[in-house]
Amino acid sequence: MSFTLEEQVLDELRAAAADGAPVRRWFSTDVVTDDGTVLARVRKQLYVRRT
């Protein structure tokens, strides 16, 4: 399984974390079969921090 974030979202995360403060953002996606049937809805929090 993989997740893809749009470049605009990545830019927002980079900007928000530029000062070294941690950034937490929630994302949601559906897990679907090859025929498009939704098996589950997933909500995941991404933690970003520049080091």
Side-chain angles (χ1 to χ4, degrees):
M1 179 181 291
S2 63
F3 294 89
T4 303
L5 298 177
E6 295 177 3
E7 195 63 37
Q8 177 184 354
V9 174
L10 293 174
D11 291 341
E12 291 171 7
L13 291 170
R14 287 183 192 110
D19 64 356
V23 177
R24 292 173 183 88
R25 174 97 47 106
W26 284 97
F27 295 92
S28 298
T29 191
D30 292 337
V31 178
V32 297
T33 62
D34 289 337
D35 69 0
T37 303
V38 176
L39 296 176
R41 291 200 170 93
V42 177
R43 188 168 180 245
K44 179 70 177 168
Q45 186 178 48
L46 183 65
Y47 175 93
V48 178
R49 182 170 169 240
R50 292 188 74 132
T51 57

